[in-house]
Amino acid sequence: MVSQKIKNIYLLGCKELWSLWRDPVMLILIVYTFTVAVYTAATAMPDSLNMAPIAIVDEDHSTLSERISSAFYPPYFLPQTTELNHMDAGMDAGEFTFALNIPVNFQEDILAGREATIQVNVDATRMTQAMVGAGYIQQIILSEVNEYVLRHREISTLPVELEMRARFNPVLDQKWFGSVMQIINNVAMLSIILTGAALIREREHGTIEHLMVMPVTVFEIMMSKVWSMSLVVLLAAFLGLKLVVQIILKVPIEGNLWLFFFGALLTLFATTSMGIYLATMSKSMPQFGLLMMLTLIPMQMLSGGMTPRESMPEVLQNVMLIAPTTHFVELAQAILYRNAGLSVVWPAFLWLIGIGTVFFYVAWKRFKDTIHTMA
């Protein structure tokens, strides 16, 4: 009896794989999700500045002001000398992200020990460049002023020196973070899409009625979709991680990939169940797409992949504990970034087992009621 159930699950899963193979749109989506999408996410939105336009108004025309003006150069900044009356107009027109105004007698005030100010205008609508660039500009100006002043008078060195060491991403490269996080997010997204689309495809083609008259149970139908779609996502994630992340982007992966994919398998058990549940709630593929957007976007935004969970309100942190992506992001970052072992990530594994079991039961109950209604 048990062997027959396993055989039914295996054969139904092979049917799902064959149906997927004959769906070119889904195949293109799978390839795109773990190749082009991963590469784009890693390279298209860098955290560092790149050719940020900055307008420089030098009213002092001194040696120090020229040193400061010449310190802004590509590839971080794209400097342009302008006049004071054009500075505000250029900012309003979006020509400059930053505008630097060095006032008259700036060098004289600095050497005399008087208070001196430099005006820096920032276009805050360009969020990424504005936040990073403001810090860069401050460091550059202070560095040039300190170096210039040291030539004219002695400044005592502070007895404390701050030495920063970046762990797990020593070069502070956005690609190391963006590429891996895109793989993590795509695992959850693609598993929901594939399982939901498989069930809706059967309903639209009328094959679900054929399954109802066969000697198979709802559990067997669900498990066949779970294992087949999970296999596809795991293979695609493995190829994306090896080909795009490690070979093309040259991102080092220090963690145990077997442990990571075991966590991904537990996550897929929950997310594929979610896909089946959403498919039973939908009457067509457009409805399924809308429900998936309402479910997937909050999961990805609040699971800790985009911003740390510690920065979120405590209520959201507690609510998101029921989302499988929260624990998948936690264990994936620990394994792939910090080379954590099972002794560190086992609580996330237990959470995923519990969440997956609950989600599978709810989806099974809903699917069973839906089939009985159709009958």
Side-chain angles (χ1 to χ4, degrees), residues 216-230:
V216 293
T217 63
V218 174
F219 175 82
E220 294 170 358
I221 296 174
M222 283 188 59
M223 283 303 301
S224 66
K225 298 183 185 302
V226 168
W227 83 257
S228 58
M229 297 301 105
S230 297

Side-chain angles (χ1 to χ4, degrees), residues 140-363:
I140 290 173
I141 293 176
L142 291 178
S143 175
E144 293 297 330
V145 170
N146 290 334
E147 183 178 350
Y148 184 78
V149 171
L150 280 174
R151 298 183 179 183
H152 293 81
R153 65 180 178 207
E154 183 179 356
I155 297 180
S156 59
T157 304
L158 295 177
V160 177
E161 181 180 356
L162 179 63
E163 182 176 348
M164 298 183 63
R165 297 179 180 178
R167 299 189 62 186
F168 314 121
N169 187 358
V171 296
L172 300 178
D173 192 345
Q174 165 67 12
K175 293 186 295 185
W176 289 30
F177 178 80
S179 58
V180 175
M181 285 310 307
Q182 189 68 16
I183 292 284
I184 295 172
N185 290 333
N186 288 347
V187 166
M189 178 189 70
L190 198 62
S191 60
I192 295 176
I193 293 176
L194 291 180
T195 49
L199 182 56
I200 293 177
R201 186 193 308 116
E202 284 191 333
R203 193 162 57 201
E204 291 178 345
H205 294 173
T207 54
I208 191 69
E209 286 81 3
H210 297 169
L211 292 176
M212 291 170 58
V213 299
M214 294 177 62
V216 293
T217 63
V218 174
F219 175 82
E220 294 170 358
I221 296 174
M222 283 188 59
M223 283 303 301
S224 66
K225 298 183 185 302
V226 168
W227 83 257
S228 58
M229 297 301 105
S230 297
L231 177 63
V232 172
V233 174
L234 284 177
L235 290 177
F238 176 79
L239 293 177
L241 199 59
K242 282 293 185 181
L243 178 63
V244 180
V245 176
Q246 291 188 296
I247 297 179
I248 297 179
L249 295 175
K250 301 185 184 305
V251 177
I253 300 296
E254 303 294 339
N256 189 333
L257 290 182
W258 288 105
L259 192 61
F260 165 73
F261 282 110
F262 178 69
L265 183 62
L266 296 179
T267 305
L268 289 169
F269 179 55
T271 53
T272 50
S273 301
M274 291 178 60
I276 295 174
Y277 181 81
L278 293 178
T280 59
M281 298 286 291
S282 310
K283 295 182 180 180
S284 62
M285 189 63 75
Q287 287 187 3
F288 172 72
L290 292 174
L291 285 176
M292 191 191 68
M293 290 174 58
L294 294 174
T295 304
L296 189 63
I297 293 178
M299 285 175 55
Q300 291 187 346
M301 293 182 63
L302 303 176
S303 60
M306 295 184 179
T307 56
R309 293 185 62 247
E310 294 77 10
S311 303
M312 303 176 189
E314 187 175 354
V315 175
L316 283 179
Q317 295 185 38
N318 296 331
V319 170
M320 289 305 296
L321 288 175
I322 64 174
T325 51
T326 299
H327 307 284
F328 183 44
V329 168
E330 178 185 347
L331 70 88
Q333 290 181 343
I335 295 172
L336 298 181
Y337 292 153
R338 301 185 288 274
N339 195 19
L342 183 60
S343 60
V344 175
V345 299
W346 67 266
F349 283 7
L350 290 182
W351 271 100
L352 287 173
I353 292 173
I355 293 173
T357 303
V358 173
F359 281 14
F360 184 86
Y361 174 78
V362 173

Side-chain angles (χ1 to χ4, degrees), residues 23-44:
D23 191 340
V25 176
M26 283 297 176
L27 292 177
I28 294 174
L29 176 64
I30 295 171
V31 174
Y32 172 83
T33 300
F34 286 98
T35 54
V36 178
V38 174
Y39 183 85
T40 302
T43 58

